[in-house]
Amino acid sequence: MIVDCHAHVRGPFEDRDDPWEQDRLLLEACDALGIDVACVSHLGTPRPATPDGFREVNRKMLKSLEEFRGRFWGYCYVNPGWTAEALEEIDYCLGADEDCIGVKLYNEYKINDPVVRPVIEKCIEHDVPILEHAGYSWVNIEKQPSISTAADIVDVGEAYPEAKLIVAHLGGGGDWEWAVRAVAAGPPNVGADISGSVVDEGLVEYAVEKIGDDRLYFACDMSMTAGMGKLQYSDISEEARQKIGGENFLKLIGREA
Amino acid sequence: MKFDCNAYLGHWYARQIRHNTAPELLSFMDSHDIDRAVVGSLSAVMYRNVQMGNEELAAEIEDYRDRLIPFGVINPTYIDWESDLDWCVDELGVKGIRIYPQYHSYEVGDEACEAVCEACADRDLICTLIQRQVDYRQSHPMVDAPDLVLDDIAGLCEAHPDITFMILNGLGYGGSRLITEAADLPDNYYIEMSRSSAFISKELKTVVDTLGDDRVLFGTGIPMKNPGPVFLKLKNLDISDEGKDRIFGDNLARLLDVQ
């Protein structure tokens, strides 16, 4: 079973002839590339997200789960700066649909900022993973001053051994060698997804060599052929390909294939 | 036939590159059923004196000229660069060159760029621009080389209708003049498709539908990049098998006049 652990939906556009046109494009790609399930969040609200903003996009995400039952599993997106509202929203989304399987955090705060702790603890309470937008780069820093690095996520993984943490898009966050080394040096509850538009030869191989094949997760982050191309064409063992392709993520969220 | 217009030999200053000698690259090509490739020196991009990279390339491919087709790297801001260009033509036998305004401190369309374009026209050489050699987010802390602007490249193509241009590693073609004003621009440019999306926005289909399948080229970026995504893009591109054959190799073979 192939599970893309990092994707995004748009939800219904009620004013269009086909309200689901955008989500169908993702599904079309999944079908063509052999992806059984895509784990999706909806981030289409101005940032920093307000409670009304993240509630609105999460409702759309939940509608997508319902419309395409079994093909999409969901992440609840919150801004941890709104502590009470964020915790309430996580409870709501995880209770509203059994296919909501985790929490997505973006760049409002670094994940090791103390303001994020209640959200981390809420995820531990629900035993769900956090997919954390991440990057480490020398450029465009001013555009995302609070983006988490892999090392920030490792910090949290060490402080909270029960947390399930995923460093997002090794191929979409700048210096992937830096990120790989950070995760490799981190605790076993921190892994990374291989998504992103960057398809550098050796990326997946280096990640497997340094991190091992138990903490890496297949994903595309909407760069569909980049993600699947890296999974299918990297020089790794078939066993590793199977684990990265879906087994590791299913194990993380406690689901069967 | 798979004929890759976007391949390299040599070193990159910011990251270790594997499969970067001629025997290793050919083995890598074999493992992906790539028959031939146009290769340029990766080392030359950051050498002050790019010609040393061209000479390294010449030595490297000497025994493999049937499969590795050289393009020179030319820096028109460096001393006596026209001699480098002549050497590439006369000694290396190139039919085209690669230029790197973003790494050699000049602009697309400025005086240095115009000079090298005129030199290409005089020698009937293909001029290649690479929108990005690496993702900008992966920049080395000491090197700032933003992506080339596709509309600037469109202007260059428009200003030099007598030159054939190849554009590599580009993204965003669909919104650029290269596509939106294709009917008004000369048909002297060829687009390599490694970064165009096959799904969601389907930019690759837009490019092919607009330019025709005879002006789109198969390229991978090997050995810097994993070629797998390119194969998936072409596999899922909704055009005829004949059209895919043209993209995979026939177009480039025609351009370079090789069998």
Side-chain angles (χ1 to χ4, degrees), chain A residues 2-9 23-40 71-72 218 220 222 224-225 228 232, chain B residues 199-200 236:
Chain A
I2 302 294
V3 181
D4 177 348
C5 83
H6 185 165
H8 300 283
V9 283
D23 287 355
R24 283 190 212 285
L25 289 170
L26 171 58
L27 206 54
E28 176 188 64
C30 290
D31 287 343
L33 295 171
I35 298 168
D36 297 293
V37 176
C39 300
V40 298
R71 300 302 305 280
F72 295 153
F218 165 67
C220 298
M222 310 306 278
M224 306 307 294
T225 54
M228 185 53 82
Q232 286 187 350
Chain B
F199 295 106
I200 316 287
N236 287 285

PDB file of all heavy atoms in Angstrom, chain A residues 2-9 23-40 71-72 218 220 222 224-225 228 232, chain B residues 199-200 236:
ATOM      1  N   ILE A   2       0.636   2.122  -0.958  1.00  0.00           N
ATOM      2  CA  ILE A   2       1.432   3.348  -1.058  1.00  0.00           C
ATOM      3  C   ILE A   2       0.653   4.493  -0.405  1.00  0.00           C
ATOM      4  O   ILE A   2      -0.484   4.791  -0.791  1.00  0.00           O
ATOM      5  CB  ILE A   2       1.725   3.691  -2.535  1.00  0.00           C
ATOM      6  CG1 ILE A   2       2.456   2.546  -3.228  1.00  0.00           C
ATOM      7  CG2 ILE A   2       2.532   4.988  -2.616  1.00  0.00           C
ATOM      8  CD1 ILE A   2       3.836   2.270  -2.708  1.00  0.00           C
ATOM      9  N   VAL A   3       1.273   5.121   0.572  1.00  0.00           N
ATOM     10  CA  VAL A   3       0.639   6.233   1.292  1.00  0.00           C
ATOM     11  C   VAL A   3       1.502   7.481   1.143  1.00  0.00           C
ATOM     12  O   VAL A   3       2.674   7.486   1.534  1.00  0.00           O
ATOM     13  CB  VAL A   3       0.467   5.897   2.791  1.00  0.00           C
ATOM     14  CG1 VAL A   3      -0.216   7.059   3.511  1.00  0.00           C
ATOM     15  CG2 VAL A   3      -0.329   4.619   2.970  1.00  0.00           C
ATOM     16  N   ASP A   4       0.916   8.508   0.560  1.00  0.00           N
ATOM     17  CA  ASP A   4       1.568   9.819   0.469  1.00  0.00           C
ATOM     18  C   ASP A   4       1.223  10.561   1.754  1.00  0.00           C
ATOM     19  O   ASP A   4       0.076  10.958   1.962  1.00  0.00           O
ATOM     20  CB  ASP A   4       1.025  10.556  -0.764  1.00  0.00           C
ATOM     21  CG  ASP A   4       1.583  11.974  -0.908  1.00  0.00           C
ATOM     22  OD1 ASP A   4       2.202  12.475   0.041  1.00  0.00           O
ATOM     23  OD2 ASP A   4       1.375  12.569  -1.976  1.00  0.00           O
ATOM     24  N   CYS A   5       2.203  10.756   2.611  1.00  0.00           N
ATOM     25  CA  CYS A   5       1.903  11.312   3.938  1.00  0.00           C
ATOM     26  C   CYS A   5       1.913  12.828   3.970  1.00  0.00           C
ATOM     27  O   CYS A   5       1.757  13.413   5.048  1.00  0.00           O
ATOM     28  CB  CYS A   5       2.869  10.740   4.982  1.00  0.00           C
ATOM     29  SG  CYS A   5       4.455  11.577   5.066  1.00  0.00           S
ATOM     30  N   HIS A   6       2.066  13.470   2.816  1.00  0.00           N
ATOM     31  CA  HIS A   6       2.101  14.940   2.819  1.00  0.00           C
ATOM     32  C   HIS A   6       1.487  15.466   1.529  1.00  0.00           C
ATOM     33  O   HIS A   6       2.147  15.497   0.477  1.00  0.00           O
ATOM     34  CB  HIS A   6       3.540  15.430   2.961  1.00  0.00           C
ATOM     35  CG  HIS A   6       3.689  16.920   3.100  1.00  0.00           C
ATOM     36  ND1 HIS A   6       4.858  17.501   3.525  1.00  0.00           N
ATOM     37  CD2 HIS A   6       2.837  17.943   2.891  1.00  0.00           C
ATOM     38  CE1 HIS A   6       4.726  18.819   3.559  1.00  0.00           C
ATOM     39  NE2 HIS A   6       3.491  19.115   3.166  1.00  0.00           N
ATOM     40  N   ALA A   7       0.223  15.848   1.603  1.00  0.00           N
ATOM     41  CA  ALA A   7      -0.473  16.403   0.439  1.00  0.00           C
ATOM     42  C   ALA A   7      -1.455  17.466   0.916  1.00  0.00           C
ATOM     43  O   ALA A   7      -1.588  17.700   2.132  1.00  0.00           O
ATOM     44  CB  ALA A   7      -1.192  15.290  -0.325  1.00  0.00           C
ATOM     45  N   HIS A   8      -2.094  18.098  -0.037  1.00  0.00           N
ATOM     46  CA  HIS A   8      -3.023  19.190   0.313  1.00  0.00           C
ATOM     47  C   HIS A   8      -4.276  19.112  -0.539  1.00  0.00           C
ATOM     48  O   HIS A   8      -4.195  18.847  -1.749  1.00  0.00           O
ATOM     49  CB  HIS A   8      -2.349  20.545   0.106  1.00  0.00           C
ATOM     50  CG  HIS A   8      -1.123  20.722   0.941  1.00  0.00           C
ATOM     51  ND1 HIS A   8      -1.163  21.008   2.289  1.00  0.00           N
ATOM     52  CD2 HIS A   8       0.200  20.611   0.631  1.00  0.00           C
ATOM     53  CE1 HIS A   8       0.071  21.073   2.767  1.00  0.00           C
ATOM     54  NE2 HIS A   8       0.927  20.836   1.776  1.00  0.00           N
ATOM     55  N   VAL A   9      -5.397  19.359   0.095  1.00  0.00           N
ATOM     56  CA  VAL A   9      -6.658  19.460  -0.648  1.00  0.00           C
ATOM     57  C   VAL A   9      -7.107  20.915  -0.687  1.00  0.00           C
ATOM     58  O   VAL A   9      -6.595  21.765   0.056  1.00  0.00           O
ATOM     59  CB  VAL A   9      -7.773  18.603  -0.010  1.00  0.00           C
ATOM     60  CG1 VAL A   9      -7.571  17.144  -0.345  1.00  0.00           C
ATOM     61  CG2 VAL A   9      -7.869  18.846   1.485  1.00  0.00           C
ATOM     62  N   ASP A  23      -9.585  18.894  -6.153  1.00  0.00           N
ATOM     63  CA  ASP A  23      -9.223  17.654  -5.448  1.00  0.00           C
ATOM     64  C   ASP A  23      -9.170  16.467  -6.401  1.00  0.00           C
ATOM     65  O   ASP A  23      -8.389  15.522  -6.193  1.00  0.00           O
ATOM     66  CB  ASP A  23     -10.205  17.379  -4.313  1.00  0.00           C
ATOM     67  CG  ASP A  23     -10.005  18.339  -3.137  1.00  0.00           C
ATOM     68  OD1 ASP A  23      -9.049  19.134  -3.184  1.00  0.00           O
ATOM     69  OD2 ASP A  23     -10.803  18.291  -2.185  1.00  0.00           O
ATOM     70  N   ARG A  24      -9.991  16.527  -7.439  1.00  0.00           N
ATOM     71  CA  ARG A  24      -9.943  15.436  -8.422  1.00  0.00           C
ATOM     72  C   ARG A  24      -8.594  15.425  -9.155  1.00  0.00           C
ATOM     73  O   ARG A  24      -8.112  14.366  -9.564  1.00  0.00           O
ATOM     74  CB  ARG A  24     -11.070  15.589  -9.449  1.00  0.00           C
ATOM     75  CG  ARG A  24     -12.419  15.189  -8.955  1.00  0.00           C
ATOM     76  CD  ARG A  24     -13.424  15.136 -10.123  1.00  0.00           C
ATOM     77  NE  ARG A  24     -14.757  15.485  -9.687  1.00  0.00           N
ATOM     78  CZ  ARG A  24     -15.563  14.700  -8.990  1.00  0.00           C
ATOM     79  NH1 ARG A  24     -15.138  13.493  -8.642  1.00  0.00           N
ATOM     80  NH2 ARG A  24     -16.753  15.098  -8.632  1.00  0.00           N
ATOM     81  N   LEU A  25      -7.991  16.588  -9.332  1.00  0.00           N
ATOM     82  CA  LEU A  25      -6.677  16.633  -9.979  1.00  0.00           C
ATOM     83  C   LEU A  25      -5.632  15.880  -9.147  1.00  0.00           C
ATOM     84  O   LEU A  25      -4.769  15.182  -9.686  1.00  0.00           O
ATOM     85  CB  LEU A  25      -6.238  18.084 -10.203  1.00  0.00           C
ATOM     86  CG  LEU A  25      -6.997  18.848 -11.284  1.00  0.00           C
ATOM     87  CD1 LEU A  25      -6.646  20.338 -11.236  1.00  0.00           C
ATOM     88  CD2 LEU A  25      -6.684  18.281 -12.676  1.00  0.00           C
ATOM     89  N   LEU A  26      -5.723  16.048  -7.844  1.00  0.00           N
ATOM     90  CA  LEU A  26      -4.814  15.297  -6.973  1.00  0.00           C
ATOM     91  C   LEU A  26      -5.111  13.806  -7.063  1.00  0.00           C
ATOM     92  O   LEU A  26      -4.194  12.982  -7.175  1.00  0.00           O
ATOM     93  CB  LEU A  26      -4.957  15.787  -5.524  1.00  0.00           C
ATOM     94  CG  LEU A  26      -4.234  14.953  -4.452  1.00  0.00           C
ATOM     95  CD1 LEU A  26      -2.741  14.865  -4.726  1.00  0.00           C
ATOM     96  CD2 LEU A  26      -4.495  15.536  -3.065  1.00  0.00           C
ATOM     97  N   LEU A  27      -6.389  13.484  -7.049  1.00  0.00           N
ATOM     98  CA  LEU A  27      -6.766  12.074  -7.112  1.00  0.00           C
ATOM     99  C   LEU A  27      -6.355  11.454  -8.448  1.00  0.00           C
ATOM    100  O   LEU A  27      -5.906  10.293  -8.500  1.00  0.00           O
ATOM    101  CB  LEU A  27      -8.278  11.945  -6.917  1.00  0.00           C
ATOM    102  CG  LEU A  27      -8.789  10.629  -6.344  1.00  0.00           C
ATOM    103  CD1 LEU A  27      -8.085  10.284  -5.036  1.00  0.00           C
ATOM    104  CD2 LEU A  27     -10.299  10.708  -6.123  1.00  0.00           C
ATOM    105  N   GLU A  28      -6.486  12.219  -9.505  1.00  0.00           N
ATOM    106  CA  GLU A  28      -6.070  11.739 -10.826  1.00  0.00           C
ATOM    107  C   GLU A  28      -4.579  11.385 -10.808  1.00  0.00           C
ATOM    108  O   GLU A  28      -4.165  10.346 -11.347  1.00  0.00           O
ATOM    109  CB  GLU A  28      -6.329  12.832 -11.861  1.00  0.00           C
ATOM    110  CG  GLU A  28      -5.852  12.523 -13.256  1.00  0.00           C
ATOM    111  CD  GLU A  28      -5.970  13.738 -14.182  1.00  0.00           C
ATOM    112  OE1 GLU A  28      -5.291  14.762 -13.933  1.00  0.00           O
ATOM    113  OE2 GLU A  28      -6.731  13.659 -15.134  1.00  0.00           O
ATOM    114  N   ALA A  29      -3.793  12.235 -10.193  1.00  0.00           N
ATOM    115  CA  ALA A  29      -2.355  11.965 -10.097  1.00  0.00           C
ATOM    116  C   ALA A  29      -2.087  10.736  -9.252  1.00  0.00           C
ATOM    117  O   ALA A  29      -1.254   9.891  -9.598  1.00  0.00           O
ATOM    118  CB  ALA A  29      -1.634  13.182  -9.519  1.00  0.00           C
ATOM    119  N   CYS A  30      -2.798  10.623  -8.142  1.00  0.00           N
ATOM    120  CA  CYS A  30      -2.628   9.448  -7.272  1.00  0.00           C
ATOM    121  C   CYS A  30      -2.945   8.175  -8.053  1.00  0.00           C
ATOM    122  O   CYS A  30      -2.213   7.186  -7.964  1.00  0.00           O
ATOM    123  CB  CYS A  30      -3.530   9.560  -6.047  1.00  0.00           C
ATOM    124  SG  CYS A  30      -3.041  10.840  -4.880  1.00  0.00           S
ATOM    125  N   ASP A  31      -4.046   8.205  -8.794  1.00  0.00           N
ATOM    126  CA  ASP A  31      -4.439   7.020  -9.565  1.00  0.00           C
ATOM    127  C   ASP A  31      -3.356   6.648 -10.573  1.00  0.00           C
ATOM    128  O   ASP A  31      -2.996   5.489 -10.728  1.00  0.00           O
ATOM    129  CB  ASP A  31      -5.765   7.276 -10.289  1.00  0.00           C
ATOM    130  CG  ASP A  31      -6.954   7.286  -9.338  1.00  0.00           C
ATOM    131  OD1 ASP A  31      -6.807   6.780  -8.208  1.00  0.00           O
ATOM    132  OD2 ASP A  31      -8.009   7.821  -9.715  1.00  0.00           O
ATOM    133  N   ALA A  32      -2.859   7.653 -11.274  1.00  0.00           N
ATOM    134  CA  ALA A  32      -1.871   7.389 -12.321  1.00  0.00           C
ATOM    135  C   ALA A  32      -0.560   6.870 -11.747  1.00  0.00           C
ATOM    136  O   ALA A  32       0.137   6.080 -12.392  1.00  0.00           O
ATOM    137  CB  ALA A  32      -1.624   8.658 -13.133  1.00  0.00           C
ATOM    138  N   LEU A  33      -0.230   7.306 -10.559  1.00  0.00           N
ATOM    139  CA  LEU A  33       1.079   6.968  -9.984  1.00  0.00           C
ATOM    140  C   LEU A  33       1.005   5.820  -8.985  1.00  0.00           C
ATOM    141  O   LEU A  33       2.021   5.436  -8.404  1.00  0.00           O
ATOM    142  CB  LEU A  33       1.684   8.213  -9.314  1.00  0.00           C
ATOM    143  CG  LEU A  33       2.011   9.362 -10.272  1.00  0.00           C
ATOM    144  CD1 LEU A  33       2.399  10.624  -9.483  1.00  0.00           C
ATOM    145  CD2 LEU A  33       3.133   8.983 -11.225  1.00  0.00           C
ATOM    146  N   GLY A  34      -0.172   5.291  -8.765  1.00  0.00           N
ATOM    147  CA  GLY A  34      -0.294   4.148  -7.871  1.00  0.00           C
ATOM    148  C   GLY A  34      -0.301   4.499  -6.398  1.00  0.00           C
ATOM    149  O   GLY A  34       0.083   3.678  -5.563  1.00  0.00           O
ATOM    150  N   ILE A  35      -0.725   5.701  -6.078  1.00  0.00           N
ATOM    151  CA  ILE A  35      -0.797   6.121  -4.673  1.00  0.00           C
ATOM    152  C   ILE A  35      -2.187   5.771  -4.142  1.00  0.00           C
ATOM    153  O   ILE A  35      -3.199   6.236  -4.668  1.00  0.00           O
ATOM    154  CB  ILE A  35      -0.531   7.639  -4.539  1.00  0.00           C
ATOM    155  CG1 ILE A  35       0.875   7.964  -5.033  1.00  0.00           C
ATOM    156  CG2 ILE A  35      -0.732   8.096  -3.096  1.00  0.00           C
ATOM    157  CD1 ILE A  35       1.147   9.453  -5.219  1.00  0.00           C
ATOM    158  N   ASP A  36      -2.233   4.945  -3.123  1.00  0.00           N
ATOM    159  CA  ASP A  36      -3.518   4.474  -2.613  1.00  0.00           C
ATOM    160  C   ASP A  36      -4.216   5.524  -1.756  1.00  0.00           C
ATOM    161  O   ASP A  36      -5.423   5.707  -1.852  1.00  0.00           O
ATOM    162  CB  ASP A  36      -3.310   3.193  -1.795  1.00  0.00           C
ATOM    163  CG  ASP A  36      -2.753   2.067  -2.652  1.00  0.00           C
ATOM    164  OD1 ASP A  36      -3.477   1.590  -3.538  1.00  0.00           O
ATOM    165  OD2 ASP A  36      -1.582   1.695  -2.456  1.00  0.00           O
ATOM    166  N   VAL A  37      -3.435   6.172  -0.900  1.00  0.00           N
ATOM    167  CA  VAL A  37      -4.009   7.157   0.015  1.00  0.00           C
ATOM    168  C   VAL A  37      -3.084   8.366   0.082  1.00  0.00           C
ATOM    169  O   VAL A  37      -1.861   8.220   0.141  1.00  0.00           O
ATOM    170  CB  VAL A  37      -4.162   6.574   1.445  1.00  0.00           C
ATOM    171  CG1 VAL A  37      -4.661   7.649   2.409  1.00  0.00           C
ATOM    172  CG2 VAL A  37      -5.099   5.383   1.448  1.00  0.00           C
ATOM    173  N   ALA A  38      -3.698   9.552   0.070  1.00  0.00           N
ATOM    174  CA  ALA A  38      -2.928  10.775   0.296  1.00  0.00           C
ATOM    175  C   ALA A  38      -3.397  11.403   1.603  1.00  0.00           C
ATOM    176  O   ALA A  38      -4.605  11.541   1.831  1.00  0.00           O
ATOM    177  CB  ALA A  38      -3.129  11.755  -0.861  1.00  0.00           C
ATOM    178  N   CYS A  39      -2.443  11.752   2.443  1.00  0.00           N
ATOM    179  CA  CYS A  39      -2.770  12.373   3.729  1.00  0.00           C
ATOM    180  C   CYS A  39      -2.692  13.882   3.554  1.00  0.00           C
ATOM    181  O   CYS A  39      -1.632  14.428   3.244  1.00  0.00           O
ATOM    182  CB  CYS A  39      -1.800  11.901   4.806  1.00  0.00           C
ATOM    183  SG  CYS A  39      -1.871  10.109   5.023  1.00  0.00           S
ATOM    184  N   VAL A  40      -3.836  14.527   3.762  1.00  0.00           N
ATOM    185  CA  VAL A  40      -3.993  15.893   3.280  1.00  0.00           C
ATOM    186  C   VAL A  40      -4.304  16.880   4.395  1.00  0.00           C
ATOM    187  O   VAL A  40      -4.977  16.563   5.368  1.00  0.00           O
ATOM    188  CB  VAL A  40      -5.128  15.961   2.233  1.00  0.00           C
ATOM    189  CG1 VAL A  40      -4.783  15.080   1.025  1.00  0.00           C
ATOM    190  CG2 VAL A  40      -6.468  15.518   2.829  1.00  0.00           C
ATOM    191  N   ARG A  71      -9.638   7.541   0.145  1.00  0.00           N
ATOM    192  CA  ARG A  71      -8.496   7.964  -0.676  1.00  0.00           C
ATOM    193  C   ARG A  71      -7.704   9.080  -0.007  1.00  0.00           C
ATOM    194  O   ARG A  71      -6.532   9.291  -0.292  1.00  0.00           O
ATOM    195  CB  ARG A  71      -8.959   8.424  -2.060  1.00  0.00           C
ATOM    196  CG  ARG A  71      -9.685   7.383  -2.858  1.00  0.00           C
ATOM    197  CD  ARG A  71      -8.836   6.118  -3.064  1.00  0.00           C
ATOM    198  NE  ARG A  71      -7.539   6.368  -3.668  1.00  0.00           N
ATOM    199  CZ  ARG A  71      -7.324   6.548  -4.977  1.00  0.00           C
ATOM    200  NH1 ARG A  71      -8.334   6.507  -5.816  1.00  0.00           N
ATOM    201  NH2 ARG A  71      -6.105   6.741  -5.442  1.00  0.00           N
ATOM    202  N   PHE A  72      -8.370   9.836   0.844  1.00  0.00           N
ATOM    203  CA  PHE A  72      -7.703  10.897   1.592  1.00  0.00           C
ATOM    204  C   PHE A  72      -7.849  10.644   3.086  1.00  0.00           C
ATOM    205  O   PHE A  72      -8.939  10.310   3.557  1.00  0.00           O
ATOM    206  CB  PHE A  72      -8.331  12.274   1.287  1.00  0.00           C
ATOM    207  CG  PHE A  72      -8.183  12.759  -0.131  1.00  0.00           C
ATOM    208  CD1 PHE A  72      -9.128  13.634  -0.668  1.00  0.00           C
ATOM    209  CD2 PHE A  72      -7.115  12.375  -0.926  1.00  0.00           C
ATOM    210  CE1 PHE A  72      -9.016  14.095  -1.973  1.00  0.00           C
ATOM    211  CE2 PHE A  72      -6.993  12.833  -2.234  1.00  0.00           C
ATOM    212  CZ  PHE A  72      -7.948  13.699  -2.757  1.00  0.00           C
ATOM    213  N   PHE A 218       7.267   8.185   2.505  1.00  0.00           N
ATOM    214  CA  PHE A 218       6.987   8.652   1.146  1.00  0.00           C
ATOM    215  C   PHE A 218       5.993   9.804   1.179  1.00  0.00           C
ATOM    216  O   PHE A 218       5.013   9.777   1.910  1.00  0.00           O
ATOM    217  CB  PHE A 218       6.414   7.506   0.304  1.00  0.00           C
ATOM    218  CG  PHE A 218       5.764   7.968  -0.965  1.00  0.00           C
ATOM    219  CD1 PHE A 218       6.524   8.532  -1.986  1.00  0.00           C
ATOM    220  CD2 PHE A 218       4.388   7.879  -1.139  1.00  0.00           C
ATOM    221  CE1 PHE A 218       5.925   8.973  -3.148  1.00  0.00           C
ATOM    222  CE2 PHE A 218       3.780   8.313  -2.304  1.00  0.00           C
ATOM    223  CZ  PHE A 218       4.547   8.864  -3.311  1.00  0.00           C
ATOM    224  N   CYS A 220       4.730  13.460  -1.520  1.00  0.00           N
ATOM    225  CA  CYS A 220       4.954  14.278  -2.713  1.00  0.00           C
ATOM    226  C   CYS A 220       4.827  15.779  -2.425  1.00  0.00           C
ATOM    227  O   CYS A 220       5.458  16.596  -3.090  1.00  0.00           O
ATOM    228  CB  CYS A 220       3.939  13.922  -3.805  1.00  0.00           C
ATOM    229  SG  CYS A 220       4.045  12.220  -4.392  1.00  0.00           S
ATOM    230  N   MET A 222       2.487  17.510  -3.319  1.00  0.00           N
ATOM    231  CA  MET A 222       1.891  17.986  -4.576  1.00  0.00           C
ATOM    232  C   MET A 222       2.884  18.023  -5.747  1.00  0.00           C
ATOM    233  O   MET A 222       2.481  18.310  -6.866  1.00  0.00           O
ATOM    234  CB  MET A 222       1.208  19.350  -4.418  1.00  0.00           C
ATOM    235  CG  MET A 222       0.254  19.436  -3.244  1.00  0.00           C
ATOM    236  SD  MET A 222      -0.995  18.134  -3.251  1.00  0.00           S
ATOM    237  CE  MET A 222      -2.188  18.811  -4.402  1.00  0.00           C
ATOM    238  N   MET A 224       4.101  15.706  -7.702  1.00  0.00           N
ATOM    239  CA  MET A 224       3.709  14.304  -7.743  1.00  0.00           C
ATOM    240  C   MET A 224       4.783  13.391  -8.343  1.00  0.00           C
ATOM    241  O   MET A 224       5.134  12.363  -7.765  1.00  0.00           O
ATOM    242  CB  MET A 224       2.386  14.157  -8.502  1.00  0.00           C
ATOM    243  CG  MET A 224       1.255  15.031  -7.960  1.00  0.00           C
ATOM    244  SD  MET A 224       0.940  14.841  -6.190  1.00  0.00           S
ATOM    245  CE  MET A 224       0.349  13.164  -6.090  1.00  0.00           C
ATOM    246  N   THR A 225       5.269  13.747  -9.519  1.00  0.00           N
ATOM    247  CA  THR A 225       6.276  12.877 -10.123  1.00  0.00           C
ATOM    248  C   THR A 225       7.615  12.977  -9.389  1.00  0.00           C
ATOM    249  O   THR A 225       8.391  12.023  -9.380  1.00  0.00           O
ATOM    250  CB  THR A 225       6.481  13.210 -11.611  1.00  0.00           C
ATOM    251  OG1 THR A 225       6.782  14.600 -11.744  1.00  0.00           O
ATOM    252  CG2 THR A 225       5.231  12.873 -12.416  1.00  0.00           C
ATOM    253  N   MET A 228       7.113  10.463  -6.399  1.00  0.00           N
ATOM    254  CA  MET A 228       7.086   9.063  -6.815  1.00  0.00           C
ATOM    255  C   MET A 228       8.370   8.679  -7.538  1.00  0.00           C
ATOM    256  O   MET A 228       8.858   7.552  -7.406  1.00  0.00           O
ATOM    257  CB  MET A 228       5.862   8.799  -7.694  1.00  0.00           C
ATOM    258  CG  MET A 228       5.685   7.338  -8.064  1.00  0.00           C
ATOM    259  SD  MET A 228       5.678   6.199  -6.655  1.00  0.00           S
ATOM    260  CE  MET A 228       3.984   6.345  -6.092  1.00  0.00           C
ATOM    261  N   GLN A 232      10.544   5.463  -6.540  1.00  0.00           N
ATOM    262  CA  GLN A 232      10.692   4.340  -7.462  1.00  0.00           C
ATOM    263  C   GLN A 232      12.110   4.194  -8.010  1.00  0.00           C
ATOM    264  O   GLN A 232      12.554   3.078  -8.273  1.00  0.00           O
ATOM    265  CB  GLN A 232       9.724   4.493  -8.640  1.00  0.00           C
ATOM    266  CG  GLN A 232       8.278   4.195  -8.292  1.00  0.00           C
ATOM    267  CD  GLN A 232       7.388   4.193  -9.520  1.00  0.00           C
ATOM    268  OE1 GLN A 232       7.794   4.594 -10.607  1.00  0.00           O
ATOM    269  NE2 GLN A 232       6.153   3.747  -9.346  1.00  0.00           N
TER     270      GLN A 232
ATOM    271  N   PHE B 199       1.143  16.686 -13.721  1.00  0.00           N
ATOM    272  CA  PHE B 199      -0.141  16.599 -13.014  1.00  0.00           C
ATOM    273  C   PHE B 199      -0.488  17.960 -12.397  1.00  0.00           C
ATOM    274  O   PHE B 199       0.325  18.868 -12.386  1.00  0.00           O
ATOM    275  CB  PHE B 199      -0.069  15.535 -11.923  1.00  0.00           C
ATOM    276  CG  PHE B 199       0.132  14.142 -12.466  1.00  0.00           C
ATOM    277  CD1 PHE B 199       1.358  13.511 -12.354  1.00  0.00           C
ATOM    278  CD2 PHE B 199      -0.899  13.479 -13.114  1.00  0.00           C
ATOM    279  CE1 PHE B 199       1.545  12.230 -12.848  1.00  0.00           C
ATOM    280  CE2 PHE B 199      -0.718  12.194 -13.621  1.00  0.00           C
ATOM    281  CZ  PHE B 199       0.507  11.572 -13.495  1.00  0.00           C
ATOM    282  N   ILE B 200      -1.682  18.022 -11.879  1.00  0.00           N
ATOM    283  CA  ILE B 200      -2.248  19.190 -11.190  1.00  0.00           C
ATOM    284  C   ILE B 200      -2.296  20.378 -12.166  1.00  0.00           C
ATOM    285  O   ILE B 200      -3.286  20.547 -12.861  1.00  0.00           O
ATOM    286  CB  ILE B 200      -1.489  19.556  -9.894  1.00  0.00           C
ATOM    287  CG1 ILE B 200      -1.176  18.287  -9.071  1.00  0.00           C
ATOM    288  CG2 ILE B 200      -2.279  20.578  -9.093  1.00  0.00           C
ATOM    289  CD1 ILE B 200      -2.312  17.647  -8.372  1.00  0.00           C
ATOM    290  N   ASN B 236       3.180   9.760 -18.444  1.00  0.00           N
ATOM    291  CA  ASN B 236       1.820  10.221 -18.176  1.00  0.00           C
ATOM    292  C   ASN B 236       1.408  11.421 -19.016  1.00  0.00           C
ATOM    293  O   ASN B 236       0.351  12.014 -18.763  1.00  0.00           O
ATOM    294  CB  ASN B 236       1.670  10.541 -16.692  1.00  0.00           C
ATOM    295  CG  ASN B 236       1.634   9.282 -15.840  1.00  0.00           C
ATOM    296  OD1 ASN B 236       0.634   8.584 -15.802  1.00  0.00           O
ATOM    297  ND2 ASN B 236       2.759   8.974 -15.201  1.00  0.00           N
TER     298      ASN B 236
END
